[in-house]
Amino acid sequence: MRCAVGCGHVHQGADRGYGLDTVRGDAAHPVNRGLACGRGVRESADPEGEWLTRPLVREGGELVPTSWEHALSEAVAGFEDAVAHDPDDLAILGSGQQTNEAAYALGKVARGGVGTRNYDANTTLCMASAVTAYYDAFGSDAPPPTYEDIPEADVHVVWGANPAVAHPVLFRWIEDAVDDDGELIVVDPVETQTAEVADRHVRPDPGGDLALARAVLARVVATDRFDRAFVERATTGFADLVAGLPLADEAAARAGVDLTVVEAIARSFESNTLVYWGMGVNQSVRGTATARALIDLCLASGNLGPGSGPFSLTGQANSMGTRVCSSKGTWPGHRDFDDPAHRREVADVWDVPVERLPDEAGPGPVGILADRPGAVWTVATNPAAGMPDASTARAALADAFLVVQDAFRTETVEYADVVLPAATWGESGGTAINMERTVSRVRPATDVPPGVRSDLGIIATIGERLHPGLFGTASPDAEAVFDEFRALTAGTDADCSGISYDRLDAELAVRWPAPDAESAGGYRYYDPDDGDWSFPTPSGLARFSSPPAGETSVAEGGVAGDSADHAAAEADPAPALPERPDDDYPLTLTTAREPDGYNTGVRSRSGDAGPIRARIHPDTVAAHADALTAGDADATEGDAPRTRLVSRRGSATAVVVADDAVPPGVVWLPIHHPAANDLTIDAVDPRSSEPNLKQCAVRLVPVDRRAESPAEVPADD
């Protein structure tokens, strides 16, 4: 598994030694039925990254090989020193690259064994805005639709996502549905590979997604095309929403699109419409508000039922699993963090004092590292490259006692005091959950070298030493851990109690909620027998969002408070973008995935990553010609020009690729390159704490400008 589509792969171990000989799609697996993408196969069978094969400790400033016992003793001693002062002085950062069992165990150590609030499972870096939006609207997390709804939809709206690159197998299903008399609309400032095959490509200004979504909703309401029967029967808050909607033409202008484009999108919601969105929506200070606006569109138009609805596209392989298992934002099974009864039940199962369990989920990774914890434990994640404003994150890691647990040598390893080599997919046993809530088995196809251990085994060993008896053994059985997890989910909105290893052996994959051994989840909140909806909210109704304050109102004929408030709202509806282009930094930086990279690219590159490739519109390249330096004809990139990208936080040398797929005034960088986040800003969504990774201001300067920091580059350059 390399992304959250959740394809089943058949792995064949090597005849001699360690590793995989072949990888292919599993024709029997109910999710992908044999389909597989090249990246998923290649990164499993032959990853290019440097494997970690022995524990390492830092001595005399260098990482040197050591025994497992010494490495574990050093790690535990450093953690104990931190928690003796304050449990929150130990920060733990997990990942969607773990099995459910490892993610559950890590959360158990963090919340139950240590009691730290400074813990994250990587979800706040990618899915927290969608999660918050789902809770706000429906009272629970995870998308209502499933893959079965894709061929049933008439219109597919892909908003701020590029599944042709990020989720190729899923995109194959979308293409098949579109070829069968469907329609594909892509909303993205960049002409992505997905947009290239769309029936309509809508290009809002960077940061204009919220304004565009609300413009479409305003158009639907103003032209009386909302589903009155569904709204009255299944929702609440519609009148308040309408009272605060902007005028469609004014919101369209803020988004940078014409009203005719807004009308075309509005018309699509008259059909069965699936709305998919990804990091282009979530990774923004407006992420939650924009995701809510997309859900509002589905609710208002009655697009909530089979063949329609809001479908967030998850990134990492087991991000959904961490949302359900890891005790990051909720207790296992999406139990509310602040519910005393849920906290008591979790404490009883874990046999820990209930007062040890934090009563709130913590600040997310940006806030965690901003607190400068004394010790940090990273598991299958690479914050030295993946965090926004990465140089500041690296400074926090350098100051802390850092334990890195990973399969590959990452940028974060270079700051570690202890390195614990872990097994990865194809070497691990357990389960994972894909973006449509389907649980699949993960089985090892090969042994691992003697110096490598499983994530679950490492986590349990450390957990037992920090809190003896937490697991009862340093080598827990993965099935026993899964059974403990699924029992905790019984009766919850994310009920997995009917999913056992035996059932997965027989069926290969089962979608939750599955409260018994015969049931499996389908479209959520909708009962096909009586055609009715119900939601786990106090009223049993889906909730429309509250409008941003101060917008010009459809219902109020444009009157929205005093003129000063109205002018501010018209210029930029809340929440405001954190860093707009200006005279000193005149360009907008955005980031996204390339076809051959994922996460921070540690599996798809070896050695030095080289200069980052910046895609820039030809007109923008010409306008900044004085900032370009001729390339080296002997270099990998040939004679392509180079420049230095500079933000208020860092700089990076880049190869310039003139590309009219990128809007004028925008610089596009691959997010998985280790230099990309030296430039990005650490502003976060006020509701979800998800970072604003998709937009900040930059400028170009000549490569031979050897300033030590961006501040030393004169503003007039």
Side-chain angles (χ1 to χ4, degrees):
M1 295 176 63
R2 287 288 169 255
C3 76
V5 174
C7 296
H9 286 171
V10 175
H11 291 175
Q12 178 67 46
D15 292 335
R16 299 174 60 184
Y18 305 101
L20 301 176
D21 180 52
T22 59
V23 176
R24 58 179 172 81
D26 185 354
H29 199 279
V31 169
N32 57 311
R33 302 188 186 279
L35 293 177
C37 70
R39 184 189 66 240
V41 170
R42 183 176 58 257
E43 289 189 7
S44 294
D46 190 24
E48 294 186 16
E50 179 184 345
W51 292 88
L52 295 169
T53 58
R54 293 187 64 183
L56 306 172
V57 295
R58 191 168 295 278
E59 294 180 0
E62 299 292 328
L63 287 172
V64 298
T66 190
S67 68
W68 266 101
E69 180 54 38
H70 181 59
L72 289 168
S73 295
E74 289 289 298
V76 171
F79 293 164
E80 288 176 335
D81 286 346
V83 301
H85 164 67
D86 180 354
D88 291 342
D89 207 31
L90 172 58
I92 301 177
L93 302 176
S95 167
Q97 295 296 316
Q98 304 169 77
T99 63
N100 292 321
E101 292 75 5
Y104 174 81
L106 189 64
K108 187 175 181 179
V109 173
R111 303 303 202 186
V114 175
T116 183
R117 65 190 285 276
N118 282 328
Y119 163 64
D120 200 274
N122 196 254
T123 55
T124 311
L125 289 177
C126 62
M127 297 309 301
S129 295
V131 169
T132 305
Y134 282 137
Y135 270 110
D136 284 353
F138 305 129
S140 68
D141 179 24
T146 75
Y147 297 157
E148 295 167 1
D149 296 295
I150 294 174
E152 302 302 317
D154 299 314
V155 180
H156 303 262
V157 179
V158 177
W159 200 305
N162 187 11
V165 162
H167 305 100
V169 171
L170 171 72
F171 187 62
R172 169 75 174 272
W173 299 327
I174 295 174
E175 282 191 299
D176 288 347
V178 171
D179 289 343
D180 189 22
D181 202 28
E183 181 183 7
L184 174 61
I185 298 173
V186 172
V187 180
D188 199 306
V190 176
E191 186 180 2
T192 64
Q193 290 90 328
T194 303
E196 288 174 358
V197 299
D199 298 289
R200 178 179 292 274
H201 178 203
V202 178
R203 305 180 75 163
D205 290 341
D209 298 280
L210 176 58
L212 177 57
R214 290 178 58 74
V216 175
L217 181 56
R219 182 69 178 173
V220 167
V221 171
T223 54
D224 199 28
R225 284 180 286 181
F226 62 93
D227 189 330
R228 192 179 306 273
F230 175 81
V231 167
E232 292 177 353
R233 182 178 182 182
T235 73
T236 184
F238 184 64
D240 289 340
L241 174 77
V242 171
L245 280 177
L247 296 173
D249 57 346
E250 294 178 357
R254 286 197 295 272
V257 301
D258 191 81
L259 187 60
T260 58
V261 174
V262 171
E263 166 58 26
I265 303 174
R267 191 183 310 119
S268 73
F269 281 87
E270 297 177 39
S271 305
N272 275 358
T273 301
L274 272 172
V275 181
Y276 315 81
W277 76 90
M279 299 308 106
V281 167
N282 291 338
Q283 290 177 334
S284 166
V285 294
R286 296 173 171 174
T288 298
T290 306
R292 287 293 280 117
L294 297 179
I295 295 172
D296 287 340
L297 267 170
C298 292
L299 293 176
S301 61
N303 275 291
L304 198 75
S308 66
F311 201 160
S312 58
L313 302 181
T314 310
Q316 289 195 20
N318 198 31
S319 286
M320 180 65 76
T322 63
R323 287 154 72 175
V324 179
C325 300
S326 71
S327 300
K328 190 284 168 237
T330 59
W331 300 113
H334 293 168
R335 294 177 179 274
D336 289 343
F337 228 89
D338 56 359
D339 186 314
H342 286 317
R343 294 177 76 247
R344 169 61 64 186
E345 186 165 356
V346 172
D348 288 347
V349 170
W350 289 353
D351 194 24
V352 300
V354 69
E355 58 269 16
R356 180 180 296 161
L357 303 183
D359 57 7
E360 55 101 3
V366 171
I368 286 172
L369 292 186
D371 286 346
R372 292 299 181 106
V376 179
W377 179 12
T378 68
V379 181
T381 190
N382 187 16
M387 290 284 288
D389 188 9
S391 61
T392 299
R394 290 193 293 270
L397 296 172
D399 287 346
F401 173 79
L402 175 62
V403 176
V404 175
Q405 178 176 324
D406 210 318
F408 294 89
R409 189 159 189 137
T410 68
E411 284 74 20
T412 304
V413 166
E414 306 313 315
Y415 295 86
D417 296 284
V418 179
V419 178
L420 305 175
T424 185
W425 304 107
E427 303 170 334
S428 302
T431 58
I433 306 177
N434 73 357
M435 72 174 77
E436 58 140 15
R437 300 175 272 116
T438 295
V439 184
S440 297
R441 276 297 304 275
V442 178
R443 297 177 179 83
T446 180
D447 292 331
V448 293
V452 176
R453 297 187 181 182
S454 72
D455 270 332
L456 177 58
I458 299 169
I459 292 163
T461 298
I462 293 175
E464 279 294 304
R465 296 191 185 191
L466 291 174
H467 185 81
L470 189 65
F471 295 96
T473 175
S475 303
D477 176 68
E479 184 174 7
V481 173
F482 184 77
D483 286 344
E484 180 179 303
F485 152 72
R486 69 187 182 98
L488 258 177
T489 71
T492 69
D493 296 327
D495 196 329
C496 297
S497 59
I499 306 175
S500 65
Y501 271 29
D502 286 345
R503 184 178 181 187
L504 292 174
D505 286 342
E507 301 180 35
L508 298 183
V510 180
R511 188 185 301 121
W512 65 259
D516 56 63
E518 285 73 44
S519 63
Y523 198 104
R524 300 182 78 195
Y525 315 127
Y526 177 76
D527 186 339
D529 294 332
D530 59 18
D532 208 355
W533 297 265
S534 64
F535 304 88
T537 61
S539 65
L541 303 173
R543 298 177 291 213
F544 283 97
S545 63
S546 300
E551 286 188 311
T552 308
S553 169
V554 170
E556 297 175 350
V559 178
D562 65 44
S563 58
D565 286 344
H566 175 61
E570 289 231 284
D572 190 5
L577 295 175
E579 189 176 78
R580 291 185 179 277
D582 57 23
D583 291 342
D584 291 337
Y585 296 87
L587 304 176
T588 296
L589 171 69
T590 193
T591 63
R593 292 189 178 114
E594 286 183 320
D596 293 332
Y598 216 75
N599 301 320
T600 56
V602 295
R603 291 179 174 86
S604 54
R605 56 181 165 85
S606 58
D608 184 0
I612 198 167
R613 298 175 81 247
R615 296 166 57 198
I616 307 174
H617 193 279
D619 292 348
T620 306
V621 172
H624 294 265
D626 58 348
L628 305 184
T629 302
D632 181 353
D634 295 327
T636 303
E637 299 289 343
D639 58 357
R642 284 156 171 74
T643 191
R644 281 186 64 226
L645 297 172
V646 182
S647 77
R648 290 178 172 86
R649 291 153 296 282
S651 66
T653 298
V655 172
V656 175
V657 179
D659 187 348
D660 59 10
V662 178
V666 173
V667 176
W668 186 103
L669 294 183
I671 189 59
H672 46 268
H673 192 285
N677 282 319
D678 285 355
L679 306 170
T680 55
I681 191 168
D682 64 358
V684 299
D685 182 292
R687 294 287 316 286
S688 69
S689 297
E690 185 157 348
N692 193 83
L693 289 164
K694 297 305 182 197
Q695 168 268 330
C696 69
V698 296
R699 66 171 178 247
L700 309 183
V701 302
V703 170
D704 56 8
R705 176 81 58 168
R706 299 294 183 182
E708 293 298 318
S709 70
E712 296 180 21
V713 180
D716 60 358
D717 282 345

